[in-house]
Amino acid sequence: MTLLAPWALLGLVAIPLLILLDRWHRRPRPIVWPSLLLWRNIAPASAPSRRRIEPLLLLECLAALLLTLAAAGPQFTAGAASRTVVVHLETGPRTGAVLADGRTVLEATRAELDRIQAAVGGTWTVIEMRRADAPPSSGDLRILATNRADILAPGVLVVGRAPTTRNIGIDALRVEGDRMGFSVRGEGVVSVLLDGEATEVQAGTWYETTFRKRVQIASANCHPGDDTFELRRARLKVRLDSESPLLLAALGAGVPAEVGEPADLVISTTGGEPIPDAVRGADCAVGPGIFDSLFLDDCRWLDARGKRSGTLLRWRDWTLASWTGNTLWLGLPVAAPWDEHGTLALVLERAKRERITALLREGEVLVGTASVRPAPGFIETDGVDRPWDGSVPPFEASRPGAFGLRALLALLATGVLVLYLVRLRRS
Amino acid sequence: MSHPFDESFRRRLEVLKRIVARALAGRGGGGRAPIAERGGRVEFAEHRAYVSGDDPRNIDWAAYARLETLVVKEFEAPREAHLLLVVDRSASMHAFGKAEASLRLAAALGWLGLSAGARVAVTTSSGATRWLSAPERFPDLLEMLEREVPAGAADLPRAVERAPAAGTGPRTAVLIGDFYEGESLARALTALRRAQRTCVQMISARELSAPDVAAVALRDAESGEQIELRLNATVRAQFREEAERFLEDRLRLARSHGANFARVDPDDDLVAAVELTLLGRRVS
């Protein structure tokens, strides 16, 4: 809770203002009256007193105080110490990139993690991963991986419980003209929808087919919206300036580069048929050290139910020089909502965005990122382009009960205001 | 504030003229008789031959039946009635337009009296006119009223003392004031016990309710005394009760002296105020 929040400050200023206004309002007004005859029997009991505090003023101040406290964001602090936090920390080769201050991405990440841990408290468990993509978590808490540590620099993702792996997804994907090749990561037989037709494929086997509209992968234990994706051929125009014949794309795993020559890659989404309610888009990756710049516009994703819509990311003219040698992951379902405290929160959007937002609000999930990025010109947050100024507000997560306390205080303030109005009417 | 005797006031007097005419013709409406007739009825004197222009209502048709010629009845001049207007010009009358309204009412009553052939005098605690006896002298009455500036404490007995001595005719006295000083009113009524008295309490509804502020420093217009009050709902209710008690007391006081009593709000229409005064009816 902080009283330095704008609304809280306003509330603090309001209280003395209310008192001053009350004093001003209750100052005796000089009036010449024809005769005091009728007032003489009244005067002794009702002479104004400087010390007297009017009940109405008390109610006004109480309401202002309650609203101020509500605006300050009260929290229960008792649960902080017992919180168990699980951190997925990428330690892959990409995190070895050296930043401007001489530290590696991993070192910066660890430093940021320590800072966040000191700020938030609780018991932390750090799970280090060689690759960026964290496994999907179990149960309803499906998220969560940074999966873009190379792009976003030290990426930290914290969940409230330990995740379990449900290893399913596209392992590799190749798009070449009308042809598409892919392999599925997972165990056993996996159901795949190709242009709306269901078929079963064996995990780890390379399949090639004619790609027309979309591919959807599901398995028996896959929650809707989890590890499903869509590619729309008409929406992806790939131009390789170097006439490179090959574009490699992969989902969920690094794919070795097969492009021999550096090239400019342009991916745009012009043309094609719009997909209603599309919210999830392509996962694709290009090999390391290949492209100097990349353009990806209007990356949309569609969940398995096709119920949601919205642009998650919009990247433009992204200079890739900083990531030479790294595998670049494009189009990962990553949203970057700003939490209520202004900290950039990066969430792999494998669960519904609303749910993640709710989790953030309830404090069960803490998501943060470091204050450094390898690409000074990187502009991207939650679909709204903003310049990166190098400063990130201190990480501060909301905690359980904050919303309830606010609501309680606001309710109390409302009650006080009602009481005030009743008294005002009676007076 | 507009001049109390401005053009609007004079137009209202024209209305009053018609009231007077109706009163003299015996059609003054219900209630009491007009001032000019209170001292005694107009007496028949003699017949004379009808000439063109005579009021046909004065033709004696019975005599015509007997004499077969038109004759009209002539009357004796009535004994001169006296109308004394006692006007409170104390400082308390300065508030809420009471002074201006009381001047207009007094002037209107004076006009009525003069038009009815009565002798009229105006008196206040600081001065008085002599008896005026013709409508042409109405400007003198106005001048007297205009000259008086509301100031000081209410002193109706002193105003009565200043009144010119009345003649032998019937006498009517109209006391106009807010009557905050009950003792002063009682003494004035006693001093005027031989006259037919009407008390006109000129009081505004605004002064009978507490000011619409949270706290007030009230200063007495006459004495300068000051009290500070917090005006909550309780105080307002108490004040209303005090005001009602005050009004009832003054009414009872006037009645106990055998006087008529009327209450007029300064915001009332002038004609209505005059009629209320003439009828001696209490205004709620």
Side-chain angles (χ1 to χ4, degrees), chain A residues 14-298:
Chain A
I15 292 174
L17 266 181
L18 283 174
I19 294 173
L20 286 177
L21 276 175
D22 182 77
R23 291 289 177 198
W24 183 80
H25 178 65
R26 296 187 184 284
R27 76 193 189 285
R29 315 285 176 88
I31 297 179
V32 176
W33 204 255
S35 173
L36 298 186
L37 176 71
L38 307 182
W39 295 101
R40 289 205 176 92
N41 294 333
I42 302 172
S46 57
S49 167
R50 302 283 178 198
R51 294 179 188 172
R52 182 184 173 88
I53 300 174
E54 293 292 332
L56 283 176
L57 174 62
L58 273 180
L59 289 175
E60 284 175 1
C61 291
L62 185 58
L65 186 64
L66 289 171
L67 289 174
T68 301
L69 289 177
Q75 298 167 354
F76 292 119
T77 56
S82 60
R83 171 186 290 127
T84 299
V85 177
V86 179
V87 177
H88 292 257
L89 180 61
E90 179 189 358
T91 60
R94 288 168 294 183
T95 61
V98 179
L99 301 174
D101 61 359
R103 294 184 301 171
T104 64
V105 169
L106 181 59
E107 288 168 347
T109 302
R110 289 189 191 282
E112 182 66 10
L113 194 60
D114 291 342
R115 191 184 66 77
I116 295 172
Q117 184 175 3
V120 176
T123 304
W124 288 53
T125 301
V126 178
I127 299 174
E128 298 189 352
M129 303 174 296
R130 286 285 296 168
R131 282 192 315 159
D133 58 335
S137 58
S138 63
D140 291 333
L141 194 63
R142 294 168 273 134
I143 324 179
L144 307 164
T146 59
N147 221 358
R148 286 176 50 188
D150 51 341
I151 297 171
L152 300 168
V156 178
L157 185 130
V158 183
V159 297
R161 67 181 78 169
T164 59
T165 299
R166 191 170 63 251
N167 194 16
I168 184 171
I170 289 287
D171 190 43
L173 178 71
R174 174 187 297 165
V175 178
E176 189 174 7
D178 292 335
R179 304 285 300 171
M180 179 187 71
F182 66 94
S183 66
V184 177
R185 164 167 54 87
E187 297 173 2
V189 177
V190 176
S191 174
V192 177
L193 284 174
L194 292 173
D195 291 326
E197 294 179 13
T199 184
E200 291 184 345
V201 298
Q202 187 69 39
T205 304
W206 182 259
Y207 294 90
E208 289 195 6
T209 182
T210 302
F211 170 61
R212 294 199 300 273
K213 192 174 180 183
R214 66 181 184 179
V215 179
Q216 197 173 58
I217 298 177
S219 68
N221 63 346
C222 180
H223 293 266
D226 195 3
D227 290 327
T228 61
F229 68 99
E230 176 194 68
L231 285 177
R232 297 182 65 198
R233 192 189 65 175
R235 296 178 63 212
L236 287 175
K237 284 188 177 178
V238 179
R239 177 169 59 84
L240 300 175
D241 287 355
S242 62
E243 298 182 350
S244 173
L246 187 62
L247 166 67
L248 281 181
L251 283 171
V255 176
E258 295 185 17
V259 179
E261 297 294 330
D264 290 334
L265 172 65
V266 177
I267 302 175
S268 65
T269 59
T270 56
E273 298 173 3
I275 295 179
D277 301 321
V279 293
R280 304 189 73 173
D283 262 354
C284 61
V286 294
I290 300 173
F291 308 111
D292 292 327
S293 66
L294 182 141
F295 181 85
L296 177 62
D297 193 12
D298 199 15

Side-chain angles (χ1 to χ4, degrees), chain B residues 215-282:
Chain B
V216 68
L218 292 171
R219 187 164 62 81
D220 191 295
E222 294 182 4
S223 67
E225 177 190 356
Q226 183 165 315
I227 57 174
E228 289 192 357
L229 290 165
R230 189 166 46 84
L231 299 179
N232 55 25
T234 307
V235 171
R236 291 176 190 280
Q238 285 178 347
F239 183 75
R240 280 195 297 273
E241 290 174 8
E242 288 287 327
E244 287 172 8
R245 195 175 300 125
F246 161 69
L247 296 177
E248 196 60 35
D249 284 350
R250 293 303 175 264
L251 173 65
R252 197 175 297 119
L253 176 65
R255 294 277 161 81
S256 69
H257 283 78
N260 297 321
F261 189 87
R263 189 175 304 135
V264 173
D265 191 297
D267 296 329
D268 283 347
D269 177 72
L270 176 65
V271 175
V274 169
E275 287 185 328
L276 290 169
T277 303
L278 296 179
L279 297 175
R281 198 166 60 194
R282 183 183 182 193

